[in-house]
Amino acid sequence: MLHLLLPPFADRENPMLKKVVLIALPHVAPFEFGVICEVFGIDRADMGGPTFDFTIAAAEPGPIPTSMGYDMMIMNDLGTAADADLIAIPAHMIDGDVHPEVLRVLHEANDRGAWILTVCSGAFTLAKSGLLNGKRAATHWMHADRLAREFPEIEVDPDVLFVQDGNIITGAGTAAGIDAALHLVRTELGAAAANVIARRMVVPPQRAGGQAQFIAAPMPAEPSDSFAGVTEWMLENLDRDLSVDELARKALMSSRTFARRFRADLGTTPAAWLNKQRLMRAQHLLEETTLGLEAIASETGFGSAAVMRHHFVKTLQTTPANYRRTFCVRELVS
């Protein structure tokens, strides 16, 4: 899933995406750095794909340390970014100040309407520039709370693969940078160009779903003792229509006391807890079995495939069918 606020200048007849400058920042993450290089730095003319004027630059040319402990030698300074159509910022160490030359380049790019793309923690550099104030943005789900806390002027969406707000695209964690970069190519040059790049990279040209489908959501390691028996019984009876009244009787409490104490102990309502466990069970069955969607919906207590689909889309931003295609073990789908 993504969020789009389209810029007024997107025009495939006269694309704005020709010159791309990737800024290497200290302690840059090699994978996210490589994603930008792979999408924009390879000449794919022989396959009918696009070719970009691609440059890697740094505020202080020379050896740039990576997050993996080795240095990259970057020879170009940020002067090459003066007329870039796209400035890309990959993931890097979050802490620390942003070099003033990087801030200058970002503001000048924004002022002339150039594209700005960040991947993963690269959103923090853009946040420190102030260019995300009043905008929606994405970053890796592990950093989303911190981004929202440190920059309250930004509307952080932790559940999407990327966000486009005007000329700024912020990608979520790691491989979501591929989705964000391909979206930009698709927007400027059309689906055919994005498909050529995706085929060469052996990735889908456009993924469905958001980050939520990739975030593990285990049960609490130490459930409340007072509800351990009830929650275990709930897990064993997910296929049943479990009302608060029935659960309260099982816990030997009044319905009102049960609902209040359940929320206080487990941090959520009985209904929300049940839905989460049903989703997790459905995800497991989609990954590990060949059961049909109606059978899975019945076994997990959703009742019907349509109801299960509603909860998948609402919580995971993808459908059960798409989830199975993405995560089903190879032996089951081959």
Side-chain angles (χ1 to χ4, degrees), residues 255-318:
S255 297
R256 178 175 295 181
T257 299
F258 174 80
R260 175 176 55 79
R261 288 186 56 186
F262 191 99
R263 186 181 186 93
D265 281 23
L266 297 179
T268 188
T269 65
W273 192 91
L274 266 174
N275 270 337
K276 181 177 180 180
Q277 305 312 315
R278 284 171 169 154
L279 274 172
M280 291 171 63
R281 178 73 62 81
Q283 288 174 271
H284 171 76
L285 294 174
L286 289 167
E287 294 171 17
E288 303 290 339
T289 76
T290 58
L291 287 174
L293 298 185
E294 290 291 349
I296 292 175
S298 176
E299 186 167 330
T300 55
F302 286 118
S304 70
V307 173
M308 182 172 69
R309 186 183 191 280
H310 166 79
H311 286 285
F312 262 73
V313 171
K314 180 179 179 181
T315 305
L316 302 178
Q317 286 81 55
T318 191

Side-chain angles (χ1 to χ4, degrees), residues 1 62 216 224:
M1 188 176 182
S224 168

Side-chain angles (χ1 to χ4, degrees), residues 232-251:
E232 183 177 349
W233 183 82
M234 292 164 73
L235 290 173
E236 293 171 352
N237 293 273
L238 286 179
D239 58 326
R240 295 180 53 182
D241 183 12
L242 301 176
S243 67
V244 171
D245 289 342
E246 182 177 6
L247 296 173
R249 286 194 296 271
K250 193 76 177 177

Side-chain angles (χ1 to χ4, degrees), residues 106-121:
L106 289 172
H107 276 276
E108 289 180 355
N110 187 67
D111 289 344
R112 66 176 181 271
W115 289 100
I116 299 174
L117 167 67
T118 70
V119 181
C120 193
S121 60

Side-chain angles (χ1 to χ4, degrees), residues 22 76 134 159 198 211 244-245 261 270 295 322:
L22 169 58
N76 299 297
D159 297 325
Q211 290 195 83
V244 171
D245 289 342
R261 288 186 56 186
N322 281 335

Side-chain angles (χ1 to χ4, degrees), residues 23-44:
I23 299 181
L25 296 167
H27 304 287
V28 62
F31 183 91
E32 288 82 348
F33 181 89
V35 163
I36 303 300
C37 293
E38 180 74 19
V39 173
F40 299 105
I42 296 178
D43 185 346
R44 296 184 173 89

